[in-house]
Amino acid sequence: MPAAYEVIIGLEVHVELHTTSKMFCACPNRFGAEPNTNTCPVCLGLPGSLPVFNKNALELALRAALALNCRVNRYSRFARKNYFYPDLPKAYQISQYEFPLAAHGQLAVYKNRELLRNVKIERLHLEEDAGKLLHDEGQAYSYVDYNRCGVPLVEIVTGPDLRSPEEARIFLETLRRTLLYTRISDCKMEEGSLRCDANISLRPWGSETLGQKVEIKNMNSFKAVQRGLEYEVKRQAEILDRGGRINQETRRWHEDKGMTDEMRSKEGEQDYRYFPEPDLPPVIVEDSLLTRIGTELPELPLPRYRRLLAEYGLTPYQAEIITGDRDLADFYEETVRIYYEPQKAANWLLGDVLKLFKQFPGAIKQSPFTPLHLAQLLKLVDGEQISGRTAKEVLEESFNSGKMPELIVREKSLGQISESHELEKVVDTVLRENGAAVRDYREGHKKAVTFLMGSVMKATGGKANPQLVIALLEEKLAKIGE
Amino acid sequence: MHLFTLTAVEAAQALQRREISSVQLVRDIYDRIDNVEPQVRGFISLLSREEALAAAENVDRMLKQGVSLSPLAGIPMALKDNICTNGIPTTCASLILKGYRPPYDAHVTTALREAGAILIGKSNMDEFAMGSSTENSAYHLTCNPWDLQRVPGGSSGGSAALVAAGEVFFALGSDTGGSIRQPASFCGVVGLKPTYGLVSRYGLIAFASSLDQIGPLTRDVQDCAYVLEIIAGHDPRDSTSVSREKERYTAYLGKEIKGQRVALPVECFGEGLEKEIKELVMGALAKCTEVGVSVYEASAPSTAYALPAYYLVAPAEASSNLARYDGIQYGLSIRSGSNLLDLYYATRSKGFGAEVKRRIMLGTYALSSGYYDAYYLKALKMRTLIRQEFESIFKDHDFIVTPTSPTVAFKIGEQKDDPLTMYLNDIYTITANLCGFPAISIPCGFVEGMPVGLQVIGRPFDEGRMLQFCYVLESLLGLKGRLAEMKLKEE
């Protein structure tokens, strides 16, 4: 990174709210439907249609606002943002302008458990999404899909607080994790339910004034956000090094080419002619609603991380991974609630169980393998009813079928032979049949016991409790030597 | 006797008594339309006689079966062409919506359909309700039935002319700055703009959302009360529709008005008002005093700024409301150009008329960054101020009375090229829109054979008492339900 300049980045993040119906009509809010099937006169902006605000969108937006430590405005207003584009059927977007729903929030961003920065959330407001244009290569026209019109969004605007492209990416990941905890959205960048534009400028170190900022769009993954901004830092630095000036413009990131290019310059910047939306009354947030949303808000990643460290004695690494996903953390704590072996539960969960979950992403909640299953498995291992190796087999089967581990062990007779009189018989037979090994042992070749042990395991189909076998072998061999 | 000369309520009562049938009413109305419509031209689209007769037969059948129907079941009516009618062209008298058939009914359309009223057609208007003479219709002029050389007023000129000519028993219009009351005044009928929020705007193609209201144009005050009863009431699809209990407006009719207090704002009786009109309004009020009404002078000095405030707010909202006519999804689309901007320019240049373009430009300017505070925001402040002055008058007065319009209907073409003079037509009516207050125009006499309207402005949601007052006044004046005397070709 060119060290001659300080990098200043602010982000504008759009998050789709997962309501059942759209923001201003009763159409279903669903991703991936056939084009133009989830539409009605209201979201198509037909003449004479009027919006009616979906209170559920307000509740989800309030959750986000509280999770980001924002101050919620008891009075906010919708405003019209006017511009012409074929995916915007009313030619204005219902948004919020002078009176946003919430402001003055902050989100702490850590890298390797070290606080990078408290990033200011300048504002959080509600707005409706636009439709989508579908371009067919080689055709002189485009298709419009209005399904997404009227899908509720929150726009989250940060202060110019981020100081590097990497920091921007980490912030965005932290934001996503936090919002996923509140369950307002699935926050999928690839499906567009989380979208990020960035404003970036450079200035000489020590300078108090901000440099000319450039807006970057079309960064459609976390990686793209970092790469796009890194490219832009380089581009701007080169211009400044040459003594050139940065143009006020909007640029588009091209992931395939690894570069940005100009979308529109300052002259092309639009005047959106905002004014209060006359079709909708102001949004009044009552104390009772805010209190309820606050009470319902789940414990967020950072406090949960700290609590997991203190309460269960986890390592920072374990706690970080477990709290990285609310479903995983819920799974962990529920397991520990049923069978209190926090360290063992963490080891199993982050080892073999997580590997299985990763093969079926997003399925922790839907998985037939529940904390009850894991707790039972842990109990079987602890009680030495099955060996560690058997446990892995049982886990896999339980994970695939949803059968309780105890049932699997019983059905397949996988239980360890821990009854000594039963094992004694086997051990005696093995000793009788392997005179040579016994002799070797007695002559000081202590390794011969491993061979004998293997023979016992073979004879029991691997179900013998290994500790018990060793103890028995040693006891009997010692007797023979007497 | 021709049935079309009856008021809606008279016709309805005859229907309920089974003295006549709805089919007879519809036939008589279509005969009347055949006779006078070529001169009046109040309809922008007319349903076929067969369609209307089918609806009438249905009502007759239900009446025969003893089904209890609303008082206006079987009565032929018209809707202004900015009110959505499922499958029936709704054009706002604009080329940009030529042939546009909405896939849904407006709230008022549904309400009237369910009440059994028979839709005969859609009435002509100034394009997108912008105008005071119906001369801004992209399709054709409408003539004033009292004098075919004159305009019917506007923008609901078609609705007013049709009612005055006996082509329908009643019609609905919309009123953003006087668009129901001024044509009612010009055509000698009753026109009511309800309190903002009383009648759902769902399905009314917006001109200026914070000012628009739908209301009835009728032959007399009683008809007005009956129609209002059907169309008023909360609609969850319009977030500005007020949730309150349904009122029985007809129950107010016939009660005496003794002791009521009327305010005359001096600002509405000064310069620009024709002397004869002033005398007619004062004469009407003199009759009121005979039945125990007291009349007081009052002042609302801020009304001087009503017109400028209105011509910032209304065009600003219109510039946004009309932006959706872009040639993409429906309506006129001129696709001869090579790119998106060409499509926008060509479609909107061809699709909108001069007055609509003028207001879009005015509004776009007023909302532009750097001008917003000086224009739009200031206009909103004026709006608040005017409202406060009216509220203070209403503290110790029941009604405010003014002339509806400073002049009688003017000649066709007389003001067409003079928008500023045209805008003055609304000088007495726009304040009620800016405040959201209800206001009604009723006939109070004639000047040189042309009708003159008197406007009564009331407190919010006080339509019942306004109708009570006007019902008495109407009978004192003896002008109830007069149709225009038209010289007809074959009668």
Side-chain angles (χ1 to χ4, degrees), chain A residues 40-61:
Chain A
C40 73
V42 176
C43 56
L44 289 176
L46 293 189
S49 65
L50 293 170
V52 177
F53 181 41
N54 176 353
K55 290 281 156 30
N56 190 223
L58 173 63
E59 295 199 5
L60 297 192

Side-chain angles (χ1 to χ4, degrees), chain A residues 44-45 47-48 51 80 82 271, chain B residues 104 201 203 239 320-321 324 329 369:
Chain A
L44 289 176
R80 290 189 187 174
N82 296 285
D271 177 359
Chain B
Y104 74 103
R201 293 185 293 119
S239 308
S320 172
N321 284 329
R324 72 188 65 194
Q329 205 191 149
S369 107

Side-chain angles (χ1 to χ4, degrees), chain A residues 41 44-52 80 82 84-86 89-92 146 271 273-276 278-281, chain B residues 84 100 103-104 201-205 209 236-240 320-321 323-325 329-330 340 344 364 367-369 372 376:
Chain A
L44 289 176
L46 293 189
S49 65
L50 293 170
V52 177
R80 290 189 187 174
N82 296 285
F84 287 94
Y85 205 62
K90 299 190 299 293
Y92 58 82
Y146 294 115
D271 177 359
R273 304 189 313 279
Y274 283 99
F275 74 104
D279 288 329
L280 289 165
Chain B
C84 285
Y100 173 68
Y104 74 103
R201 293 185 293 119
Y202 189 78
L204 169 68
I205 299 183
S209 313
R237 296 170 301 178
D238 173 0
S239 308
T240 63
S320 172
N321 284 329
R324 72 188 65 194
Y325 307 106
Q329 205 191 149
Y330 49 80
L340 187 62
Y344 289 156
T364 303
L367 289 178
S368 295
S369 107
Y372 179 83
Y376 189 78

